[in-house]
Amino acid sequence: MQFAILGPVEARRPDGTPVAVGGPQLRGLLALLALDAGRFVGAERLIDGLHGEQPPEGAAEALQSQVSRLRRRLRDGGAPDGLVEFTPAGYRLAVDPQDVDVHRFERLTAQARETPDPAAKLALFTEALALWRGPALDGLADPPRAARLAELRLAATEDRVEAALALGHHERLVAGLRELAAEHPLRERLTAQLVRALHGSGRSAEALAVFAGIRARLADELGADPSPELAAAHLAVLQAAAPAPARWVPVPLTAFVGRAELDRLTAALDGARLVTLTGPGGAGKTRLAVEAAARAAGEVCFVELATTTDVPRAVLAALGLREQGVLAPGAAADPADRLAAGLADRPLLLVLDNCEHVVAEAARLTRRLLGECPGLRVLATSREALGLTGETLVPVGALPADAAERLFTDRAAAVAPGEAPAPGAVTRICAALDGLPLAIELAAARLRSLSADDVAARLGDRFALLSRGDRTAEPRHRTLRGVVEWSWDLLDPGEQLLAGRFAVFAGGARPAAVERVCGVPEAGLTGLVEKSFVEFTGGRYRMLETIRAFCAGQGDDRRAAHARYFLDFASALEPKLRGADQLTALAELTAEHAELQAALRWSATEDPATALRLIAALSWYWWLRGLRSEATPVADTVLAAVGPEPPPGLAEEYVLCVIQASATDVEIEPILRRLDGPLRYPYLFLLWAFSPRTKAKEGERLAALIGPDAWSRAFARIGDGLGAQYGGRIAEAEAHFSAALEAFRALGDRWGEASALEKLAEFADWRGDHARFRELMDEAVRLAGELGAVEDAADLLCRRADGVLRQGDAEAAKADYEAAAEQARAAGTPVTLARARGGLGEIARRAGDLTAARRWYASALSLAADPVTGGETRIRVHTGFGWTAAAEGRLAEATELHQEALATALEHTNLPGAAQAVEGLAGVLAAREEHERAAFLLGVAVGLRGAPVTGDADIDGVADLIRARLGAEAYRTAFERGREAPPEQAVREAGQRRFALGS
């Protein structure tokens, strides 16, 4: 635990949350113990500290009671037992003194006073003083100790000011020193520091006035003269003969859009003498430097180097040293010598803007001036670092999306007032332009004649579009092409060749990919990184899209090498998607998503065989990640290029391509007949099962080719389990799914585990084992989340909600359905969205809101039109509509709806779905008071499903009604007759009820 007494007394848990200590007496006791943390404090000292010189009677007994209460409070707050110890020597707070803020304060101030470096000293004093939250021991007795601590705080404040003055922070200290001097009007050190700060800020007259005021006060109140320190500060003002402070910083014509780099830059300038802003052209380095310089205290001189190659003379001219004649006659004529002499005693921030084309000259001059002028600080902007020891780099990259859009909107308002650009178009523009401020400003300027949507649509030829900028700007800042060409021309021929080759990467590259695709060692990229042509972050090299668009075509074509590399990459990871390395493989494929898509797009027309192999290697990745429609456009292109016959040896790859395509007339059965031996892509069977072109006999052929490896055997058990479940053989199905779960767990395959867990949870739900259901479903949802399988996770949420709703927890079910709907919308999965909306309809119906139920059902039905994937949802929705119609007395309509659900279930050989529809028909018969026939259908449903469903409010209500009307024995007889009926006969009899019920 942590303890704080530098302000209101507090005890805090390790996570920073406060512990309720109690009233003033308990806080006072804790403070006194914390002051001597780790040491024993006598009872008398504690009593004196709590009550002063005249403690009340019974103070000793009261202390014991207070200690007990304090222990209890701390223990309730999570502290270990024995935190407050007692021995005959007194009481002790058994903690490390560094867990108490006052002891940390004393350690930091002692460390600061021993540190010779002013910047480090300033940082340590700042950290120490930040521990204070108000007067120490606030509101508690013990004035002597409080006064001592206040004095320590004030002394540390003075020491911190001294360190800041040594670093030249005069202007920013003035206001605070005025307040402190007013609080302590006779404290001479504070006033001396105020005099020095005013003088250093160029306000010498004010400094002399402050000195005159304290000298008079000292004489009147104390009859004393100023101290030597105060007198020395006064003398320094009188003897100063320095030139008037220089402040030349360009004044921008537009507002500054805040960015995080400004805070980092300000902090860097506080602690370093050389700071360089690096980044690509158009990133806003100059504007950031201008903003930082305008906020800096003291002298500032801004030097523009873009149009010069003579750095020393440009700095001399900006400082005005030649014209002002500051140097003594006979001084050296060399510009660098003159600068060193002129700046030797001046605290100045020198801003060197646009150093990239004179980086060597700028570095030489900077090194000399910093070595000879102790008060000098340098802020440089360049596309590459100056490369000096002690240089602090502040990279300037793209604007974050929100800042980029604010910049565009701000600049757009200036050129097209009154017309707010379309937000969606603004987002697309800023993203396409990499968040580069100059490019965004050039794009906003086009709103004089184009809409934002037009600008977004034309960014495919961004260099032609953004060719009109400020006619007074330097040519390299006037157009987007000029920005990039300036950087391009600074590259040597080898760097230009590599940049042209690197442009083949759509989303950046790891070192291994660069070496193989570009045909050069990774080290060859060093120059491009240093010159801000390429970024290196997170282990990847990346080129901004604007720079990449310029470089494309500048080097030889590497797209074939790129496609071969990423085919090998995907093929090596494909087997790992089916085992313990699943998450790692998914993450690696996701990281290269842009490259894989680029390789697919190119190979689809230029090398269809490579495209087929890539589609096959990525099919299971797309399935696991919920990206199943991503390959459709490429697959269509590949099939058009390849024709109706697969290339030799690529039959499986061809079938997978057919599955991914939007539509095709290709006959698959002859191709499947050619497959011999185990499938190289065992999930082909699953993908084919979900394909709209699925044919039963073709599926049987594929199932027969599932191999003997552990994953394929586990996968086959999933298929066998589904077959048994849909056939109503629940015990057999559960055995298959249990075996599959065990096998997939041994393999570490999360998809397989989640698939088996979902089915086992469903059976537990039917049995009414709610705890087991929730345990299994929670694990399945967690595993899908780990995979990043948005579609599967949303579907599992719906299935969990189904069971939770059956248990009667409508609120939890609603939360799951709504979360599933949100995920399904984000993933663009209409079938899962339909399932979620159907579930919300179930909640509304069970709550008696039939109007809302019909609205949800109708919405769900419109989304579940797919004849293959939407069948299960249509069964559920038609059944829900049927129960709603029956509740409103429209029994003929209810019959038709349940019969529709039954027909859909039989079409898909889904006996559990058929059972659901038959139970709805039983509800209609019960409403018609045909109780024996209703009991028969309830038995039929159990026979079709293979097991009863426990806890379903609809079915339980119908069963209770029938049992009450028929009697238990007659109900049991009719029910058993239905359950034992052969499935074909049972379904036939249920289907024949249509006409009888509708009569």
Side-chain angles (χ1 to χ4, degrees):
M1 298 187 74
Q2 300 288 317
F3 300 89
I5 63 175
L6 299 180
V9 176
E10 291 182 355
R12 304 188 189 111
R13 299 180 182 90
D15 63 0
T17 57
V19 174
V21 175
Q25 288 290 304
L26 291 184
R27 293 201 306 277
L29 174 59
L30 178 59
L32 293 170
L33 291 170
L35 279 166
D36 290 286
R39 297 194 297 269
F40 285 97
V41 185
E44 291 184 2
R45 282 182 57 196
L46 292 174
I47 292 171
D48 291 343
L50 289 171
H51 303 290
E53 297 179 356
Q54 295 181 336
E57 291 184 6
E61 292 78 11
L63 176 62
Q64 294 176 4
S65 174
Q66 289 162 357
V67 169
S68 297
R69 290 165 56 202
L70 178 60
R71 285 173 175 153
R72 186 167 58 253
R73 291 275 188 170
L74 293 175
R75 188 168 55 251
D76 291 344
D81 291 330
L83 195 63
V84 179
E85 297 178 350
F86 171 74
T87 71
Y91 297 88
R92 180 170 82 108
L93 184 63
V95 298
D96 186 334
Q98 292 306 306
D99 291 337
V100 182
D101 58 1
V102 66
H103 299 297
R104 291 201 301 277
F105 169 77
E106 291 177 341
R107 175 180 58 81
L108 288 168
T109 54
Q111 185 179 347
R113 292 182 177 109
E114 294 172 0
T115 302
D117 178 45
K121 188 183 293 285
L122 176 62
L124 287 167
F125 277 122
T126 300
E127 183 182 354
L129 289 166
L131 296 171
W132 287 77
R133 298 164 294 111
L137 308 174
D138 188 20
L140 302 175
D142 204 357
R145 289 206 177 190
R148 172 185 168 274
L149 292 174
E151 175 59 26
L152 291 176
R153 180 185 190 183
L154 187 55
T157 302
E158 290 173 333
D159 289 342
R160 180 187 180 280
V161 169
E162 195 65 34
L165 287 171
L167 292 170
H169 300 175
H170 300 93
E171 182 72 30
R172 66 185 67 177
L173 292 171
V174 170
L177 282 170
R178 283 193 190 280
E179 291 182 9
L180 285 169
E183 292 175 21
H184 308 278
L186 296 177
R187 196 170 180 97
E188 294 180 74
R189 189 184 183 198
L190 278 175
T191 307
Q193 290 175 331
L194 175 57
V195 168
R196 292 163 59 198
L198 286 167
H199 173 54
S201 303
R203 298 151 71 177
S204 299
E206 292 181 57
L208 293 172
V210 168
F211 175 80
I214 192 171
R215 180 171 58 184
R217 196 159 42 246
L218 287 169
D220 292 342
E221 298 182 26
L222 302 178
D225 292 327
S227 67
E229 182 179 3
L230 183 55
H234 177 232
L235 183 61
V237 178
L238 295 175
Q239 293 179 340
R247 281 196 68 84
W248 188 84
V249 181
V251 179
L253 298 178
T254 55
F256 177 73
V257 174
R259 53 192 305 175
E261 290 96 334
L262 182 57
D263 292 335
R264 295 203 298 272
L265 176 55
T266 301
L269 287 171
D270 283 341
R273 296 184 63 210
L274 171 58
V275 179
T276 303
L277 291 171
T278 61
K285 300 183 294 296
T286 296
R287 184 57 189 276
L288 197 57
V290 167
E291 194 66 23
R295 299 182 182 190
E299 290 190 278
V300 181
C301 184
F302 191 97
V303 185
E304 170 59 69
L305 299 178
T307 58
T308 186
T309 57
D310 191 337
V311 178
R313 291 188 185 280
V315 177
L316 277 172
L319 286 166
L321 291 180
R322 286 178 293 179
E323 290 74 15
Q324 292 178 2
V326 171
L327 300 178
D334 180 80
D337 292 341
R338 297 174 66 186
L339 281 170
L343 297 177
D345 299 320
R346 293 177 67 177
L348 174 76
L349 173 62
L350 181 64
V351 183
L352 301 179
D353 189 38
N354 295 307
C355 297
E356 51 270 354
H357 65 300
V358 288
V359 66
E361 294 85 349
R364 281 194 294 270
L365 179 64
T366 299
R367 181 174 57 190
R368 176 171 180 187
L369 294 180
L370 289 175
E372 299 181 25
C373 308
L376 180 67
R377 292 177 296 149
V378 175
L379 170 59
T381 75
S382 177
R383 299 185 193 187
E384 63 177 305
L386 299 188
L388 297 179
T389 301
E391 180 180 23
T392 296
L393 299 181
V394 178
V396 181
L399 287 171
D402 55 345
E405 291 170 20
R406 286 199 308 273
L407 176 63
F408 184 93
T409 303
D410 178 78
R411 301 303 188 256
V415 300
E419 288 189 34
V426 174
T427 299
R428 294 196 303 276
I429 291 168
C430 294
L433 295 176
D434 304 300
L436 285 175
L438 179 61
I440 290 170
E441 291 182 332
L442 291 171
R446 294 309 312 269
L447 295 194
R448 297 187 187 97
S449 55
L450 296 172
S451 71
D453 284 316
D454 290 334
V455 171
R458 299 185 185 193
L459 283 176
D461 189 4
R462 64 189 65 201
F463 296 111
L465 177 70
L466 307 181
S467 59
R468 299 178 185 175
D470 185 343
R471 58 171 57 93
T472 66
E474 293 296 326
R476 63 189 183 82
H477 277 166
R478 200 174 299 164
T479 69
L480 187 60
R481 179 173 292 278
V483 172
V484 184
E485 278 183 338
W486 171 264
S487 296
W488 176 264
D489 292 340
L490 295 175
L491 303 179
D492 63 40
E495 290 170 337
Q496 290 179 345
L497 176 64
L498 179 53
R501 289 181 175 182
F502 187 84
V504 74
F505 292 104
R510 292 172 177 160
V514 174
E515 291 188 357
R516 181 167 157 191
V517 174
C518 296
V520 297
E522 175 201 354
L525 282 173
T526 301
L528 295 179
V529 174
E530 290 178 347
K531 295 177 180 179
S532 300
F533 223 75
V534 171
E535 299 174 343
F536 183 69
T537 55
R540 294 179 69 86
Y541 294 99
R542 179 179 177 271
M543 185 178 275
L544 294 179
E545 186 60 30
T546 295
I547 296 177
R548 180 172 171 264
F550 179 90
C551 293
Q554 300 284 356
D556 52 336
D557 192 342
R558 309 299 291 183
R559 289 178 293 178
H562 178 272
R564 286 194 299 272
Y565 175 83
F566 283 101
L567 171 59
D568 292 345
F569 176 82
S571 299
L573 289 173
E574 187 272 335
K576 296 181 180 180
L577 293 172
R578 303 190 295 279
D581 295 328
Q582 195 172 56
L583 294 184
T584 301
L586 282 170
E588 291 192 37
L589 289 166
T590 299
E592 301 295 353
H593 183 267
E595 303 310 316
L596 293 165
Q597 287 299 105
L600 273 170
R601 287 192 298 270
W602 177 83
S603 59
T605 55
E606 303 299 324
D607 188 354
T610 292
L612 282 174
R613 292 185 175 96
L614 258 174
I615 288 172
L618 293 173
S619 289
W620 194 234
Y621 162 71
W622 288 323
W623 180 272
L624 293 177
R625 275 285 193 247
L627 303 172
R628 297 161 200 174
S629 62
E630 188 171 275
T632 299
V634 177
D636 289 342
T637 302
V638 173
L639 285 180
V642 173
E645 284 292 320
L650 297 179
E652 280 188 53
E653 289 82 353
Y654 185 83
V655 173
L656 282 165
C657 185
V658 170
I659 292 171
Q660 305 290 355
S662 58
T664 179
D665 297 328
V666 173
E667 286 293 330
I668 291 297
E669 186 176 3
I671 298 171
L672 296 180
R673 282 201 298 268
R674 300 176 207 165
L675 298 180
D676 187 22
L679 292 172
R680 287 177 287 112
Y681 304 99
Y683 45 79
L684 172 57
F685 172 67
L686 176 68
L687 271 59
W688 183 253
F690 279 87
S691 170
R693 290 175 285 279
T694 297
K695 294 180 182 178
K697 57 184 177 180
E698 296 170 359
E700 291 170 3
R701 169 65 179 160
L702 283 172
L705 294 175
I706 292 178
D709 61 282
W711 192 91
S712 296
R713 290 197 305 273
F715 177 74
R717 296 301 292 267
I718 291 282
D720 293 342
L722 289 172
Q725 180 185 359
Y726 282 10
R729 304 185 305 278
I730 300 306
E732 179 186 339
E734 193 161 12
H736 283 305
F737 288 127
S738 295
L741 176 61
E742 183 178 350
F744 279 127
R745 276 187 170 151
L747 289 168
D749 187 297
R750 290 162 177 79
W751 173 83
E753 290 182 61
S755 300
L757 284 165
E758 175 206 339
K759 305 310 297 183
L760 294 172
E762 185 175 15
F763 300 149
D765 178 37
W766 290 357
R767 289 193 294 269
D769 189 346
H770 303 319
R772 179 66 173 158
F773 164 79
R774 190 60 189 258
E775 175 189 351
L776 295 173
M777 282 305 304
D778 288 351
E779 186 179 358
V781 170
R782 177 183 61 79
L783 290 169
E786 289 180 3
L787 287 172
V790 178
E791 291 185 17
D792 290 340
D795 185 68
L796 288 169
L797 285 173
C798 286
R799 295 181 187 276
R800 185 170 72 182
D802 294 345
V804 170
L805 180 60
R806 194 158 23 246
Q807 297 164 20
D809 192 345
E811 285 302 313
K814 181 180 179 184
D816 270 354
Y817 284 133
E818 289 177 343
E822 185 64 30
Q823 292 184 20
R825 275 192 295 269
T829 314
V831 172
T832 308
L833 181 58
R835 184 178 180 87
R837 290 181 175 176
L840 292 170
E842 286 291 289
I843 292 175
R845 178 176 67 82
R846 291 169 189 260
D849 190 348
L850 302 184
T851 300
R854 283 195 300 273
R855 186 169 62 249
W856 283 118
Y857 289 145
S859 175
L861 203 57
S862 68
L863 292 167
D866 188 283
V868 177
T869 59
E872 185 176 350
T873 300
R874 290 200 306 279
I875 295 169
R876 178 189 180 90
V877 171
H878 279 125
T879 303
F881 263 133
W883 285 106
T884 304
E888 294 172 329
R890 294 179 284 108
L891 300 184
E893 181 182 345
T895 301
E896 293 296 326
L897 289 163
H898 290 308
Q899 291 282 5
E900 182 70 25
L902 179 59
T904 302
L906 296 177
E907 179 185 351
H908 289 269
T909 322
N910 184 346
L911 293 189
Q916 186 178 349
V918 169
E919 285 164 341
L921 290 170
V924 176
L925 285 172
R928 288 181 175 274
E929 299 188 354
E930 298 183 42
H931 302 121
E932 184 176 348
R933 295 167 66 190
F936 171 81
L937 287 188
L938 288 181
V940 167
V942 172
L944 291 174
R945 187 182 288 111
V949 175
T950 302
D952 188 295
D954 292 323
I955 310 310
D956 289 349
V958 172
D960 290 345
L961 173 64
I962 299 170
R963 194 179 290 107
R965 298 294 176 85
L966 285 179
E969 187 60 33
Y971 171 82
R972 186 183 310 106
T973 300
F975 179 90
E976 291 298 330
R977 185 167 56 84
R979 183 167 67 174
E980 294 172 2
E984 297 82 0
Q985 175 190 343
V987 169
R988 186 169 56 252
E989 290 195 28
Q992 290 172 353
R993 302 301 178 195
R994 174 192 297 261
F995 306 104
L997 292 169
S999 61

